[in-house]
Amino acid sequence: MIKIGIVGGTGYTGVELLRILATHPKAHITAITSRKEDGLLVSEMYPSLRGRVDIAFSAPDKANLKECDVVFFATPHGVAMAQAPELLAAGVKVIDLAADFRMKNVAEFEKWYGIPHTCAEVLEEAVYGLPELNRDAIKTARVVGNPGCYPTTMQLGFSPLLKADIIDAGNLIADCKSGVSGAGRKAELGLLFSETSDTFKAYGVSGHRHTPETIEQLQRISKDQIGLLFTPHLVPMIRGMHSTLYARLNTEISNEDLQALFENAYKDEIFVDVLPFGSHPETRSTRASNMLRLALHRPNNGNTVVILVVQDNLVKGASGQAVQCMNLMFGLEESTGLMHVPVMP
Amino acid sequence: MIKIGIVGGTGYTGVELLRILATHPKAHITAITSRKEDGLLVSEMYPSLRGRVDIAFSAPDKANLKECDVVFFATPHGVAMAQAPELLAAGVKVIDLAADFRMKNVAEFEKWYGIPHTCAEVLEEAVYGLPELNRDAIKTARVVGNPGCYPTTMQLGFSPLLKADIIDAGNLIADCKSGVSGAGRKAELGLLFSETSDTFKAYGVSGHRHTPETIEQLQRISKDQIGLLFTPHLVPMIRGMHSTLYARLNTEISNEDLQALFENAYKDEIFVDVLPFGSHPETRSTRASNMLRLALHRPNNGNTVVILVVQDNLVKGASGQAVQCMNLMFGLEESTGLMHVPVMP
Amino acid sequence: MIKIGIVGGTGYTGVELLRILATHPKAHITAITSRKEDGLLVSEMYPSLRGRVDIAFSAPDKANLKECDVVFFATPHGVAMAQAPELLAAGVKVIDLAADFRMKNVAEFEKWYGIPHTCAEVLEEAVYGLPELNRDAIKTARVVGNPGCYPTTMQLGFSPLLKADIIDAGNLIADCKSGVSGAGRKAELGLLFSETSDTFKAYGVSGHRHTPETIEQLQRISKDQIGLLFTPHLVPMIRGMHSTLYARLNTEISNEDLQALFENAYKDEIFVDVLPFGSHPETRSTRASNMLRLALHRPNNGNTVVILVVQDNLVKGASGQAVQCMNLMFGLEESTGLMHVPVMP
Amino acid sequence: MIKIGIVGGTGYTGVELLRILATHPKAHITAITSRKEDGLLVSEMYPSLRGRVDIAFSAPDKANLKECDVVFFATPHGVAMAQAPELLAAGVKVIDLAADFRMKNVAEFEKWYGIPHTCAEVLEEAVYGLPELNRDAIKTARVVGNPGCYPTTMQLGFSPLLKADIIDAGNLIADCKSGVSGAGRKAELGLLFSETSDTFKAYGVSGHRHTPETIEQLQRISKDQIGLLFTPHLVPMIRGMHSTLYARLNTEISNEDLQALFENAYKDEIFVDVLPFGSHPETRSTRASNMLRLALHRPNNGNTVVILVVQDNLVKGASGQAVQCMNLMFGLEESTGLMHVPVMP
């Protein structure tokens, strides 16, 4: 059994980790920390876990995280970088669901996240935790920066085209839509039911911090300079993310070959599902599962490819992907504990 | 492996059976019928099942249901009674998710469902499939009438009080609320998003067919004549059922003893969770799981007990309970394949 | 024109007052206060009001409320009682949308609201602002306590039966359901979209402060001692309130006479609509309007009457009713500025 | 008073016409037709209209539409073209909310709508009913083709840039999102609450009939060939439409000049609201009103302008716009009866 610690388990990615790990055959949750909720049973905060997760929150200083095999950080940005060095020194692996270890470019990190990066040496060895594009590095990693939710969809949607070098890399548009849980479990007016239900809006249109993360990763697989225009929107639904991606072809290619390109790219991937050409995937087809589904369109048979990508932002977009990384880091079958069938309706 | 047939798999209870059975370690789905969708892959209709359920719908006459060990009917009322005799004769067990085998009183059935009951001899041996109140009979049953969603909550909420004979059995009130999926997957104006979202209403207040079903069952455990006033409502949510039950105490009893009564009644039940006295269970704490949770209140320490009961109407209220019955009928551990952790948020 | 001040205009009852008053032909909004938002244009906080409400919030000490004809308090409990004496002394009328002037019983107020009542002399003259039951007193009132949302539905539903003295007054049950906006615009975790969407729960079942308010008012029209069991629930919708009321008849009466009783009671009321016997009113049939609709049921022709009552909690349940009172207090046609057609779908 | 007939009043645009016209000071609803609901009071189908609209549906052959001053067609495509000639001959004006008179290009109409256009001569004189771009023609029109909901947002968003000739007209992208009411009141599985709630998807990505309508209109104001990629999505909300428009600048221009361009374009428009540069309009800021709001963004100060446009699809996107046209056609103040304050929350 893998002894697991979770730092900051009171948010949505934390409780989703618990939901997944509660039925993971190799996971033993050893400690879960919360500064405010020391001593409270996890199942008192989350009655959905009654009878399934018996552990109580403990204050950070009381939790003996160094005895874990791996510690997940489901915390605000900045927490993981403060604690990672000591854990690594004790032989504990680290998976951060926040942004501390996502971007190699420290200047960009500090610009977008507004905090100094205090842990350059760990960042250097950190591995970007997107298994479909970075599997081998994750297997041997000691510290993983789990991707952002939006960046997961953008990378898995654009990368086959960039690798094949058949699109204008400098002119990518990603019009993305997320359920409200993506904003986290924070007592903010803007996230109230009465403020977000039965309405729709964009946010961060002039600039969002998932842009530099995505560009940094896409640049690794593109010969040309990446130019990305990313527009996030808030959808009145709890879970789910839908990215509508636009790319300009710079070569002649048939729809059949486009489809084959994606099917080949993901033919061995258990968590990426390429739908038939022209399909319209719904976010609910991935609800509460680690699946990402995508489909290709070629409107008017023109030179723009539209890629529709859906996932559950809390699973493949966060906690499920983190467990997928853990499985790789500990030599388990990659899908261990992650084979939930999506919940529909 | 248990060879399983599903008749009428295109509705919500059908697809929920598929979701559950897809990861059930002893289940092999042999056939799934649909008159309209003969030949269509189940996963084409329900992309959530892509990669997990490979079978196609077959027309009823093509499906060799007699080779199954058990057949689930996820059909409109009247279908199971027409096909059950032949299946039973072939040694196939039958679990009906509709009302054909729920009520022993044929006259009441015909009055409320508006169709003649054509299968009195099977009805006679049919067992009411509520394991917590009828476990032994289910274990040896050849044919099970799976309870209605509302009746499940009413029975599990009222029965400890009726068995203890401490309430006025003739004066029960059940004010119940259901998510929209409870109305099924039917192309009706009244079920449109634009008709049911952001609004709330009661329906069937002057009379609903779950009333006679519930009365028949409660009468089996009550010395006095059952009187039940049942008021169903439609909630703008997909899944979930919340029943607010009112019962008048006819004896002095402390809140501690009331709580103990329920805790003892369900202490060995894996799918019934008695929350601390005075709790307010949320439907989402059972979402996509087979759990039913309940809590007791005693407003103003008066002589009325309020029991709050929640479940997922498609799982414990339908398909999960049916699989629970199947497990009992085939000598499996009752919880086999049913240990999904509720999906929250 | 009536010069109007609003204290505390940043909450939902405040913005709803603005929506209504913006098209009220006799209303001139003179001042709207907010401690935090001094100087901010109302339309910057609420873009829905762009071009329609030009005023800015002002700090309480800057707003010259004494020059108003009437001041609405859309504030937390306790604010109106602190400021009312000075305003009244200056000849300004007061309408409080909070609870300060709702209950004559100070001990009950202090028990349920947890604050001392510091303004007994104003309370003494305060008038309960439910026009359908208290119209004459409102017309001459200097200070009005606007009813709670739930109490409005309970009183208009039960009162015809109590006045006719045909029900068991000691045994009333009100199972009520409210949209989330009823909880106000507060940055609380429990009100987040991800916490309240696609789920349903009861709250305050062991005791809620709208119970004593309702009992005090119902007692005024009942010969017998009122006993009320009130159970509030939270519905995943923004606006709307549905109360399901249960009353035991203590006399023989036909359904036709019951219906006639209600139709006569409300035949001159423009904002109370008695639907045909056996109807199921939907909350959306009152959305964004000052209408309250109700319908009667007699399940199984037994001795229990079920009254279904719906309203928009922010209009007839709060700000619309307050304007209705204002109209009466200033000698206007009662419906002035309140004839919005409900928004459907 | 204007005598008004409505053909096909049972759908959402029909009932929305009734909501608006019920308080329009110059409107007298003379007849409303429905083949199925002959004799049924409108308020029996739509209880929201009880006490406000007293008329009953009448069968088409019984309604004396020729005595009206104007007839609105809130019908499926193809109905208006069949009846318009006779009405026009009788001196009745016609406003069609369907597509019959939107597109001058008959071949395109027939290709996208799949029915023959049987009324070329009326089509020739028909005027496209977007007042902000076509006001003078509407004033003198006898027959108006009311714009589609999506085309309204695309035209009002792109047109200032096209008129100024500062964008690449051949490379427009419109990523649009609509509430479910936009699909109409049809008993279809795909529109059920349980199918559309808590999920998000695109539809018609490979081609949607609002594309040729929009191109035809934009071409009228563009020197260069219009190329438009339009991607519609379905949002789990009742009303509301949000269009995210992308245009490539082909010239140097400051953000201030961009903003001024739009503010000037719409400075006299009562129903178009240009928000401050960089704003994120929400659909709810227009709910149940005839307002359209938009805001400009320039991500990374690059050469792409993003225009965010919101409206209520049933009002400015349909019935409100139709009444706006009617006001113009009858010489009324354009905003008559259309000054509803948006409903928020």
Side-chain angles (χ1 to χ4, degrees), chain D residues 169-190:
Chain D
N171 189 16
L172 306 175
I173 293 180
D175 193 284
C176 301
K177 300 89 176 174
S178 175
V180 182
S181 67
R185 189 166 170 272
K186 287 174 283 186
E188 291 182 2
L189 284 177

Coordinates of all heavy atoms in Angstrom, one line a residue, chain D residues 169-190:
Chain D
A169 N -12.0 40.9 -42.9 CA -13.4 40.4 -43.0 C -13.6 39.0 -43.4 O -14.6 38.3 -43.1 CB -14.2 41.3 -44.1
G170 N -12.5 38.4 -44.0 CA -12.6 37.0 -44.4 C -12.3 36.0 -43.3 O -12.3 34.8 -43.6
N171 N -12.1 36.5 -42.1 CA -11.5 35.6 -41.1 C -12.2 35.8 -39.8 O -11.6 36.0 -38.7 CB -10.0 35.8 -41.0 CG -9.3 34.8 -40.2 OD1 -9.9 33.8 -39.9 ND2 -8.1 35.2 -39.7
L172 N -13.5 35.9 -39.8 CA -14.3 36.2 -38.5 C -14.6 34.8 -37.8 O -15.0 33.9 -38.5 CB -15.6 36.9 -38.8 CG -15.4 38.2 -39.7 CD1 -16.8 38.7 -40.0 CD2 -14.6 39.2 -38.9
I173 N -14.5 34.8 -36.5 CA -14.9 33.7 -35.7 C -15.9 34.1 -34.7 O -15.7 35.1 -34.0 CB -13.7 33.0 -35.0 CG1 -12.7 32.4 -36.1 CG2 -14.1 32.0 -34.0 CD1 -11.5 31.7 -35.5
A174 N -17.0 33.4 -34.6 CA -18.0 33.7 -33.6 C -18.3 32.4 -32.8 O -18.8 31.5 -33.3 CB -19.3 34.2 -34.3
D175 N -17.8 32.4 -31.6 CA -18.0 31.3 -30.7 C -19.2 31.7 -29.8 O -19.1 32.5 -28.9 CB -16.8 31.0 -29.9 CG -16.8 29.7 -29.2 OD1 -17.5 29.6 -28.2 OD2 -16.2 28.7 -29.6
C176 N -20.4 31.1 -30.0 CA -21.6 31.6 -29.4 C -22.2 30.6 -28.5 O -22.1 29.4 -28.7 CB -22.6 32.0 -30.5 SG -22.0 33.3 -31.6
K177 N -22.9 31.1 -27.5 CA -23.5 30.2 -26.5 C -24.9 30.7 -26.2 O -25.1 31.8 -25.9 CB -22.7 30.3 -25.2 CG -21.2 29.9 -25.3 CD -20.3 31.1 -25.7 CE -18.8 30.6 -25.7 NZ -18.0 31.7 -26.3
S178 N -25.9 29.7 -26.2 CA -27.3 30.1 -26.0 C -27.9 29.3 -24.9 O -27.6 28.1 -24.7 CB -28.0 29.8 -27.3 OG -29.4 30.1 -27.1
G179 N -28.8 29.9 -24.2 CA -29.7 29.2 -23.3 C -30.6 28.3 -24.0 O -30.8 28.4 -25.3
V180 N -31.2 27.3 -23.3 CA -32.0 26.2 -23.9 C -33.3 26.7 -24.6 O -33.8 26.1 -25.5 CB -32.2 25.1 -22.9 CG1 -33.0 24.0 -23.6 CG2 -30.9 24.7 -22.3
S181 N -33.8 27.8 -24.1 CA -35.1 28.3 -24.7 C -34.9 28.6 -26.1 O -35.9 28.7 -26.9 CB -35.6 29.5 -23.9 OG -34.8 30.6 -24.0
G182 N -33.7 28.9 -26.6 CA -33.4 29.2 -28.0 C -33.8 28.1 -28.9 O -34.1 28.3 -30.1
A183 N -33.9 26.9 -28.4 CA -34.2 25.7 -29.2 C -35.8 25.6 -29.3 O -36.2 24.7 -30.0 CB -33.6 24.4 -28.6
G184 N -36.5 26.4 -28.6 CA -37.9 26.4 -28.7 C -38.6 25.4 -27.8 O -37.9 24.7 -27.0
R185 N -39.9 25.4 -27.8 CA -40.7 24.6 -27.0 C -41.2 23.4 -27.7 O -42.3 23.3 -28.3 CB -41.9 25.4 -26.5 CG -42.8 24.8 -25.4 CD -43.7 25.8 -24.7 NE -44.7 25.2 -23.9 CZ -45.8 24.7 -24.2 NH1 -46.2 24.8 -25.5 NH2 -46.6 24.1 -23.4
K186 N -40.3 22.4 -27.8 CA -40.5 21.2 -28.6 C -40.3 20.0 -27.7 O -39.4 19.9 -27.0 CB -39.6 21.2 -29.8 CG -39.9 22.1 -30.9 CD -38.9 22.2 -32.0 CE -37.6 22.9 -31.5 NZ -36.6 23.1 -32.6
A187 N -41.2 19.0 -27.8 CA -41.0 17.8 -27.1 C -40.0 16.9 -27.7 O -40.2 15.9 -28.4 CB -42.4 17.1 -27.0
E188 N -38.7 17.2 -27.4 CA -37.6 16.5 -27.9 C -36.7 16.0 -26.8 O -36.5 16.7 -25.8 CB -36.7 17.3 -28.9 CG -37.4 17.7 -30.2 CD -36.5 18.5 -31.1 OE1 -35.4 18.8 -30.7 OE2 -37.0 18.9 -32.1
L189 N -36.3 14.7 -26.9 CA -35.4 14.2 -25.9 C -34.2 15.1 -25.6 O -33.8 15.3 -24.4 CB -34.9 12.8 -26.3 CG -35.9 11.7 -26.2 CD1 -35.3 10.4 -26.7 CD2 -36.4 11.5 -24.8
G190 N -33.6 15.6 -26.6 CA -32.4 16.4 -26.4 C -32.6 17.7 -25.7 O -31.6 18.3 -25.2

